[in-house]
Amino acid sequence: MINVLFVCLGNICRSPMAEGLFKKLVADKGLNNQISTDSAGTASYHLGHQPDKRMVSTAAGHGIKLNHMARQFSKADFNEFDYIVVMDESNYNNVMKLIPTKSNAKVIYMRSYDDYVLGVKEVPDPYYGTMEDFQTCYYILESCCRNFLKEIIESIGINNTSSNS
Ligand code: 4NP
């Protein structure tokens, strides 16, 4: 089993969207029993909250139902996850502050999988933005999630039988 964790600040906008999107891509490939996906936030502002309504409606517009309760990233996550995928530099720094001396988890930037905007590190935070910013966020995440899943499949030689996406 490959365990993937998406991390943002509040765990109500970017990372639950990435989680929902990635879960759908994984399910479409028939890989539910080989890849598990979760999300977390580095801050505790929204613990237990459902994703932001604006992200829920953006996701719904793309046929994705978000179902996650916000939780805070913790040191224990380094033992649970193979990939910890962060949205921006502050997420990266907050995650790295907690990294144990020995950890096999790969901490990576989501946008390292974006093939359109090379050199851009961050998935912009839409929280204080417009509905258009939420839509842009979705498209960035979709492109990154597709490339990320492709890389996982190639790196571990998963035999994906279904290929409708
Ligand atoms: P997220 O967005 O990190 O993508 O979930 C935010 C959500 C809440 C806040 C900031 C960013 N906040 O300041 O409450």
Side-chain angles (χ1 to χ4, degrees), residues 8-16 45-46 52 87-88 91 124-128:
C8 63
L9 175 64
N11 195 209
I12 55 167
C13 296
R14 293 164 293 175
S15 63
Y45 321 133
H46 296 283
D52 187 288
M87 302 295 150
D88 64 31
N91 308 151
D125 185 351
Y127 187 68
Y128 293 107

Side-chain angles (χ1 to χ4, degrees), residues 66-81:
L66 301 186
N67 184 19
H68 180 77
M69 254 182 22
R71 72 166 181 92
Q72 191 167 19
F73 179 80
S74 81
K75 198 169 184 150
D77 288 317
F78 285 102
N79 298 326
E80 303 293 324
F81 293 94

Side-chain angles (χ1 to χ4, degrees), residues 29-31 158-163:
K29 296 267 183 205
L31 296 172
I158 287 177
N159 180 21
N160 60 315
T161 48
S162 169
S163 60

